[in-house]
Structure formats: structure tokens, C-alpha cells
Amino acid sequence: MMKRDKFIIQGLGNKKSLSGKIRVNGAKNAVLPVMASSVLFKDGFKIKNVPLIEDLNRLDEIFKGLGVEMIKQLDGEYFINTTKINSVEIEEEASKRMRASIIFTGPILARFGELIFPHPGGCVIGARPIDLFLEGFEKMGAKVKHNDGKYFIKTKDGKLKGTKIFFKIPSVTATETFIMAGILAEGKTILKNVAIEPEIISLIEWLNDCGAKIKGVGTPVLEIEGGSLLEANDKVYETIPDRLEAGSFLILGALCASDLEISNCNPSHLEIVIEMLKDSGVDIEVGKDYLKVNNKNLKNYKSFSIKTHEYPGFPTDLQSPTVVFLTQSQGESLVFETIFEGRLNYTSDLVKMGADIKMWDSHRATIKGPKQLKGCELEGPDIRTGFAFVIAALVAEKESIITNVYYIDRGYGSIEKRLFKIGADIKRVKE
Ligand code: UD1
């Protein structure tokens, strides 16, 4: 059963502010593909700086279904052992709740020549089709059957065949899936128009460290020479900092903190967000592995327009926190969500709080600011918007209740404790 906890948040209403230091966790979107890559390994490996988030429980459920052991060694450190893997089916419940479960398809099919998986679910942010995955596997010589809500995929003689795949859309998880599929395929796999998010680069570097032959890292064309199972020996994967968490905290600090240090992050992964906020008037100090931000110029923030884009463009995952920022800036801005069509629906909740937002269609909205927000009852629809609501609730006057905290927990570990430490009045009510 999905937990239905709530957050009760007392708004700061511009009268109080947050201050202190908040540490950024390891990136969820890096942990998921690296954990899935374990299926390509002869031995196991250790992974460090793993965030304590709900999605880890989904990963564990998928691993259990496959016969893979995920052994906790210390807080944030796990050993993944795939030597006893005995199933080619991705567990249904976990898969329905976490779309990224699809990343397992590539390694399983490449290793065993067979795969069964349900249509994946996840956050409610649009249709989220899987055509790129199915078409790619067919191009690599597999046969796809769909029966009773499940996909049954089989290769001819137990092996995927290297081929050329051009992605119509540079999808993050499709890129990761086919990189991993190519590692155990026969011959060379060439992937064109791939995504280049930092989590993908980190995955490739890890795989190459362990014996994979992937060329073109950081460019839109990758060449993967198929080979045998990877070996980590004593190598450990160190999870890169979560740029989306860091970006969320940066926006929180720009609106609500007299001084906030965001530690253990990689600002070079957040350049566009930092540029936009600085241009708007936010005082940000950019360190090598930290950011410092405050809200002293809050009254004079200028509005700006954004268009979400694949990396290094403006991340769709920071679109909703940015909209909260824009409700507090001077003037009108246009937000053009190009990646997911369901990702602006939450703006009606900000309107209930007093924001002036007009949604023109499922991809575009205009925001006029500044407007004082008022506390409200809000239901978090996805991970990032759940956190955007936390920011809005802190900006607002009076109390807000955020339901469906499960989504926030999927991406932000123990967030109420971390926010409490910097002065937020936030309580979890368990149900
Ligand atoms: C990843 C991230 C997610 C982020 C998103 C966009 C992970 C685990 N999740 O999700 O946090 O919001 O990138 O940066 O890394 N598409 C198709 N057909 C497909 C696959 C995708 O049309 O077969 C479309 C999607 O509907 C979407 C676009 O491609 O419009 C990009 O999505 P994609 O990059 O695949 O997102 P995810 O990998 O699911």
C-alpha cells in the first residue's frame, strides 16, 4: 500500500526566513541506472552516497523479484550481488510505481536474451510512452509480444545484435537502456541523438571503468563495442550529487533564506539555472562544490521566461519550482514545457494560493508577479512539483497542508528533517 503521509507547513510570509547549511544527497537519477547496470556484471559491486529515498524500496522489490541481493553495508552504502539472478521478469507493483524500472530492460535482455515486463507507471506527468524502447529492441533483433498488460521480448539465439539506432527524442532512460544493451550485444551498437545528462555521463564512465567499450562520451553519438560481462573487482561507484535537489534548494534559498549554503553539490551541472536566477537579481555565490544564496534582493527580482530542454538546457524537473519563483518576481513570464505535456497542471493549485497564472495549453503558461501566496491544501502530483509546493507553502502566509507526500519522498530523502534544521516549521503526519 502506498503511504499517504501529509506535511503541515507554517508559511514564512516574508516575515521570517530560513538560514544555515543543507547538504545535497546523491542523485536518484544516477543511482537507478547504476543499480540496474549490476545485471551486466560477473561479480557484484559497491555503491556509495546513495540517497535514502522511497525509490530505493522499489529497486529492492525489483531486485528481489530478479534474485539480486542489495545488501546495506552502511548508511548510503550498498553492495549489489547479481550472481544468484534467476528471473527475467521485472516485478509488477514496483514497476507501476517507478517508471525508471524500464532501465532494467536493456541489461536483462542483453544478458539473458529474454525479458518480461509490465507497462511502467511513475509520476503523473503525461503519457510517457515506451515506443523508443520497443523499437530499439526490435532493431537489435528481438521479437516483442504484448499480452495482458505485459511485454514478452525474446532474442533469436539468446543475443541482441549490435545495430544503428537513431532516437527520435533524446530520451534519458532510453539512452541509458541501450548503452547497457549494447555492452552485451553482438558487434557494434551505434546510438545517435542520445541524451547527455550528467547522470548518463557518470553511468558511462562507471561502465567503461569496469570493462565496457563506449566511445563518444558527452557527444550525441555513442559507439558501443559488445563484449562480455563487466567486472568491478574492488571498484566502487560514488554517486554524483543530485543537481535537481541542489537546484530545488537554490530556488528555495532565493525566496526564503537570509543565507543558505547548499553543500556537496556540483554547480557546473546547474549552469542554466544559476545564470537565469543571477540575471533575475538573485545573489548567488558559486563555489566548486557548494552554492550560497540569500533572498535580500527578493523585492526586485525580475521575471524571466523559460523553455524546458534536454541537458544542458533548462531541466523540466526544475520547471515547477521555477514557476513558484516567478510568482514572486516583477513582471510577466512565459513557461514553455517542451518535454512533458502534463507538467503544468499543478499551476491551478498555485492559483488557489493567490498566484496569477494563465495556462494557455498543456505546454504553456504565463505568470504575473509578484503575488503574495496564501496557505492552502495541496496534493503533490509528482516528485518535483511536490517539492515546488513545499517552497510555495514556505513562501505563503499561514498554514499549508501537502498531501501525497509519497511523491516527495521518492526523490528527496528525509526532507522535513533537513528543512527543519534550516528553520522551517514542517511536520509529517503519518497515515
Ligand atoms: C528522465 C528522468 C526524469 C526527467 C526526464 C526528463 C530518470 C530516472 N528520470 O526521465 O527525472 O524528468 O528524464 O529530463 O532519469 N519518450 C517517448 N518515447 C519513449 C521514451 C520517452 O516519446 O519511448 C518521450 C517522453 O514522453 C518525453 C521525452 O521522451 O516527452 C523525454 O523523456 P525521457 O528523457 O525518456 O524521460 P525519462 O527518461 O522517463
Side-chain angles (χ1 to χ4, degrees):
M1 248 311 270
M2 200 157 119
K3 285 185 280 175
R4 302 229 174 252
D5 292 2
K6 288 180 188 165
F7 280 154
I8 300 180
I9 297 174
Q10 305 305 325
L12 302 163
N14 285 329
K15 291 185 187 75
K16 289 188 221 154
S17 53
L18 308 177
S19 77
K21 189 165 165 175
I22 193 160
R23 186 184 180 278
V24 174
N25 284 339
K28 165 180 93 68
N29 289 353
V31 166
L32 301 178
V34 169
M35 290 257 191
S37 80
S38 62
V39 175
L40 303 171
F41 280 71
K42 199 174 191 176
D43 47 2
F45 63 77
K46 190 173 178 166
I47 165 165
K48 278 186 169 173
N49 196 28
V50 177
L52 198 59
I53 50 174
E54 260 299 313
D55 274 9
L56 268 194
N57 297 327
R58 304 293 85 72
L59 270 172
D60 198 32
E61 286 156 21
I62 293 172
F63 277 149
K64 284 209 171 88
L66 293 172
V68 175
E69 286 178 297
M70 175 170 147
I71 305 152
K72 184 170 173 181
Q73 297 186 318
L74 287 172
D75 273 348
E77 274 187 43
Y78 294 82
F79 188 84
I80 315 296
N81 178 7
T82 48
T83 50
K84 295 186 203 126
I85 188 164
N86 57 16
S87 167
V88 294
E89 179 160 1
I90 303 178
E91 205 270 328
E92 187 159 355
E93 266 315 295
S95 175
K96 289 234 157 86
R97 288 166 69 183
M98 185 177 78
R99 179 188 156 87
S101 59
I102 191 127
I103 307 178
F104 280 87
T105 57
I108 295 176
L109 190 60
R111 179 160 181 175
F112 300 107
E114 246 181 277
L115 164 73
I116 305 170
F117 72 103
H119 193 87
C123 287
V124 193
I125 50 175
R128 307 195 91 173
I130 59 163
D131 53 322
L132 297 176
F133 296 82
L134 302 178
E135 283 167 25
F137 291 138
E138 281 174 344
K139 281 197 181 130
M140 295 183 86
K143 287 259 174 314
V144 178
K145 280 194 194 143
H146 189 213
N147 205 341
D148 219 10
K150 282 191 181 169
Y151 298 91
F152 297 80
I153 308 193
K154 230 179 170 152
T155 56
K156 253 203 210 109
D157 38 23
K159 275 267 176 201
L160 286 170
K161 308 268 180 292
T163 185
K164 269 189 208 154
I165 299 175
F166 184 95
F167 293 116
K168 290 174 285 187
I169 301 168
S171 153
V172 173
T173 41
T175 300
E176 293 164 340
T177 300
F178 286 93
I179 290 170
M180 294 194 275
I183 288 175
L184 297 184
E186 238 169 50
K188 194 183 280 180
T189 302
I190 297 174
L191 306 176
K192 288 189 170 171
N193 198 26
V194 298
I196 53 166
E197 268 63 4
E199 295 77 21
I200 301 174
I201 309 299
S202 177
L203 171 73
I204 297 177
E205 285 167 352
W206 163 245
L207 296 170
N208 276 346
D209 261 6
C210 298
K213 296 189 189 82
I214 306 161
K215 281 199 261 176
V217 189
T219 76
V221 182
L222 294 173
E223 249 186 60
I224 304 137
E225 196 64 60
S228 45
L229 289 173
L230 304 179
E231 282 182 77
N233 297 315
D234 291 332
K235 291 190 194 85
V236 175
Y237 177 76
E238 177 87 35
T239 312
I240 58 170
D242 196 320
R243 65 194 162 95
L244 303 168
E245 199 182 75
S248 307
F249 294 160
L250 190 61
I251 293 168
L252 173 72
L255 293 174
C256 300
S258 54
D259 65 289
L260 182 68
E261 180 176 339
I262 301 160
S263 65
N264 192 49
C265 61
N266 186 343
S268 71
H269 292 164
L270 266 180
E271 276 178 301
I272 190 151
V273 181
I274 294 169
E275 283 300 309
M276 293 289 202
L277 292 176
K278 272 189 169 172
D279 270 3
S280 163
V282 182
D283 181 25
I284 303 174
E285 181 186 324
V286 181
K288 195 169 171 287
D289 60 357
Y290 69 87
L291 290 160
K292 285 186 184 167
V293 61
N294 63 65
N295 67 353
K296 73 169 191 262
N297 300 333
L298 177 64
K299 297 239 152 32
N300 301 314
Y301 288 164
K302 290 194 301 271
S303 62
F304 54 86
S305 294
I306 58 164
K307 180 175 152 192
T308 62
H309 197 275
E310 293 82 22
Y311 189 84
F314 203 94
T316 168
D317 284 13
L318 291 178
Q319 179 258 102
S320 44
T322 305
V323 167
V324 176
F325 178 88
L326 294 169
T327 66
Q328 302 305 303
S329 333
Q330 309 274 340
E332 182 169 316
S333 31
L334 169 71
V335 169
F336 185 6
E337 170 56 61
T338 69
I339 314 280
F340 295 114
E341 74 277 10
R343 234 178 191 180
L344 282 172
N345 296 340
Y346 71 88
T347 52
S348 56
D349 283 303
L350 296 182
V351 171
K352 271 200 319 200
M353 295 181 86
D356 183 348
I357 304 177
K358 181 159 173 42
M359 208 173 133
W360 297 95
D361 55 41
S362 57
H363 287 280
R364 287 173 309 158
T366 42
I367 301 120
K368 280 188 199 151
K371 283 274 185 282
Q372 177 60 56
L373 303 181
K374 285 175 210 67
C376 220
E377 179 155 344
L378 306 157
E379 183 173 321
D382 67 70
I383 304 176
R384 306 297 161 188
T385 302
F387 192 76
F389 284 170
V390 171
I391 303 177
L394 286 168
V395 167
E397 284 170 338
K398 304 211 169 92
E399 181 175 284
S400 292
I401 297 174
I402 300 180
T403 59
N404 232 358
V405 162
Y406 170 76
Y407 280 119
I408 305 177
D409 291 338
R410 282 196 51 199
Y412 300 84
S414 324
I415 193 66
E416 72 277 24
K417 293 190 188 121
R418 293 154 82 200
L419 294 179
F420 181 79
K421 263 178 50 194
I422 57 168
D425 186 342
I426 171 167
K427 283 194 198 78
R428 179 185 292 262
V429 179
K430 292 204 182 276
E431 288 212 348

